[in-house]
């Protein structure tokens, strides 16, 4: 009996490990969509790299579309002199009135910090930029960048620390991304006309190729297929499943304190505080949130 129990435990552990590795396999979850060989899936699907040279950048997208999810990706950004480069990692739908949730990493000269640029588009309207420095060197090692997107809120996090929250304020007439399924996209490209110091610092092509690396993808999410959500079926069979807790997740007191810490110490731009940009008054969500 003990041998049977041990065998059962080993099989269960193996099943979990196989499922976990499958969930993070880039061959299974993503397609490299452009770059003529500059985007590569390596290490049996555990690692993906994007490269940029003077001829082209590169990019990939998820095979699945999602309508709500808790999505994690580990990134290691372009090291050294990355001025002029942008590494974008975001969720987006299609069409003229698209929704989008953005992480963009703006490169800089060696020794100067990256800028993490965030934005939220709903029904084609963005202009909700918040920018941050980070409390570590994002090119020295992998760090986890997460998006929690549920019907109530969007939370951007870095290594588990919330840096931004965008709440659903539809009751006040402010559109919120909730009806359009989105894919995950990422790209590494040259944006030296604006990315570093407003375009004053140009890309130094003698440092090319520039490379960003990805690993550790995980998505607890509602997959959208043929007009239906995977969460609808799951909810009907397992209404109390803890796997879908993220669908109603919100920040606890600790999360709120960490958010305040990040914004106080590392936020360098907030559209809600840019009175010159909005002379007719700041956007309505700024006064409500």
């Amino acid at each position: 009996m003990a041998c049977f129990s041990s065998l059962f435990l080993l099989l269960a552990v193996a099943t979990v490990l196989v499922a976990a590795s499958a969930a993070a396999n880039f061959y299974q979850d993503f397609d490299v969509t452009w770059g003529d060989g500059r985007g590569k899936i390596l290490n049996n699907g555990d690692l993906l790299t994007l490269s940029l040279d003077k001829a082209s950048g590169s990019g990939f997208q998820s095979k699945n579309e999602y309508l709500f999810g808790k999505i994690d990706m580990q990134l290691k950004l372009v090291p050294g002199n990355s001025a002029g480069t942008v590494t974008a990692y975001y969720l987006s739908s299609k069409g003229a009135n698209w929704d989008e949730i953005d992480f963009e990493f703006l490169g800089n000269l060696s020794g100067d910090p990256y800028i993490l640029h965030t934005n939220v588009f709903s029904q084609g309207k963005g202009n909700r930029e918040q920018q941050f420095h980070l409390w570590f060197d994002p090119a020295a090692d992998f760090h986890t960048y997460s998006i929690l997107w549920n019907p109530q809120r969007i939370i951007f996090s870095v290594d588990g620390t919330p840096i931004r929250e965008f709440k659903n304020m539809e009751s006040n007439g402010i559109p919120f991304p909730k009806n359009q399924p989105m894919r995950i996209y990422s790209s590494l490209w040259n944006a030296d006309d604006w990315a570093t110091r407003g375009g004053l610092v140009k890309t130094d092509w003698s440092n090319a190729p520039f490379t960003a690396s990805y690993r550790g993808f995980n998505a607890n999410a509602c997959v959208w297929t043929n007009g239906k959500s995977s969460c609808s079926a799951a909810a009907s069979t397992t209404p109390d499943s803890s796997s879908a807790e993220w669908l109603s997740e919100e920040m606890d007191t600790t999360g709120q304190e960490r958010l305040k810490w990040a914004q106080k110490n590392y936020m360098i731009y907030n559209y809600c505080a840019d009175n010159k940009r909005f002379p007719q008054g700041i956007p309505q969500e700024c006064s409500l949130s």
Side-chain angles (χ1 to χ4, degrees):
M1 187 70 176
C3 289
F4 177 81
S5 298
S6 298
L7 178 61
F8 180 82
L9 180 59
L10 286 170
L11 287 171
V13 170
T15 301
V16 169
L17 288 173
V18 168
S21 64
N25 189 288
F26 284 102
Y27 284 119
Q28 176 180 308
D29 295 315
F30 293 93
D31 291 314
V32 175
T33 49
W34 64 282
D36 194 24
R38 292 172 179 83
K40 297 177 181 178
I41 299 176
L42 305 167
N43 296 358
N44 297 315
D46 290 337
L47 179 71
L48 189 152
T49 61
L50 295 180
S51 291
L52 163 70
D53 57 35
K54 199 165 187 177
S56 178
S58 50
F60 64 86
Q61 69 179 48
S62 61
K63 295 180 187 288
N64 288 324
E65 290 183 295
Y66 304 96
L67 188 61
F68 306 124
K70 189 172 186 178
I71 294 165
D72 305 316
M73 184 78 82
Q74 294 180 22
L75 279 75
K76 182 164 70 171
L77 301 180
V78 173
N81 181 1
S82 59
T85 71
V86 172
T87 306
Y89 162 58
Y90 59 102
L91 289 161
S92 183
S93 64
K94 295 293 188 181
N97 296 311
W98 79 100
D99 295 336
E100 187 170 320
I101 304 169
D102 285 345
F103 277 117
E104 288 187 307
F105 302 89
L106 312 185
N108 216 330
L109 294 168
S110 298
D112 290 337
Y114 263 88
I115 292 174
L116 171 53
H117 175 101
T118 68
N119 205 348
V120 177
F121 288 76
S122 48
Q123 297 181 19
K125 181 184 180 298
N127 298 325
R128 299 186 175 107
E129 300 90 348
Q130 289 183 355
Q131 295 183 337
F132 302 82
H133 286 152
L134 294 164
W135 47 96
F136 52 82
D137 178 358
D141 204 349
F142 285 93
H143 293 270
T144 303
Y145 302 89
S146 306
I147 294 170
L148 170 67
W149 169 38
N150 66 31
Q152 296 83 37
R153 59 189 46 81
I154 296 164
I155 298 174
F156 298 76
S157 298
V158 178
D159 287 341
T161 294
I163 62 168
R164 178 176 187 176
E165 181 179 36
F166 184 81
K167 294 181 179 179
N168 185 337
M169 293 175 275
E170 286 183 307
S171 60
N172 296 100
I174 299 162
F176 183 84
K178 71 169 193 177
N179 297 315
Q180 300 186 64
M182 297 196 262
R183 292 188 193 275
I184 302 166
Y185 296 88
S186 190
S187 58
L188 173 58
W189 50 291
N190 177 44
D192 66 3
D193 56 335
W194 64 271
T196 306
R197 300 182 187 172
L200 293 176
V201 181
K202 301 300 182 182
T203 303
D204 182 354
W205 293 111
S206 69
N207 293 312
F210 303 97
T211 301
S213 302
Y214 303 74
R215 72 180 188 190
F217 168 69
N218 186 63
N220 292 312
C222 302
V223 177
W224 189 261
T225 308
N226 297 325
K228 293 182 180 179
S229 168
S230 61
C231 291
S232 300
S236 64
T237 56
T238 55
D240 299 319
S241 171
S242 60
S243 63
E245 287 180 354
W246 58 266
L247 264 170
S248 56
E249 185 176 331
E250 58 185 311
M251 277 187 286
D252 58 14
T253 302
T254 300
Q256 292 170 0
E257 289 302 317
R258 292 166 80 183
L259 175 72
K260 290 177 183 176
W261 170 83
Q263 294 193 344
K264 177 182 178 182
N265 293 288
Y266 295 98
M267 182 185 284
I268 59 171
Y269 177 80
N270 182 4
Y271 76 108
C272 286
D274 194 342
N275 294 313
K276 290 183 179 179
R277 182 179 175 188
F278 302 105
Q280 305 304 316
I282 60 173
Q284 185 182 6
E285 67 265 19
C286 297
S287 57
L288 293 172
S289 58

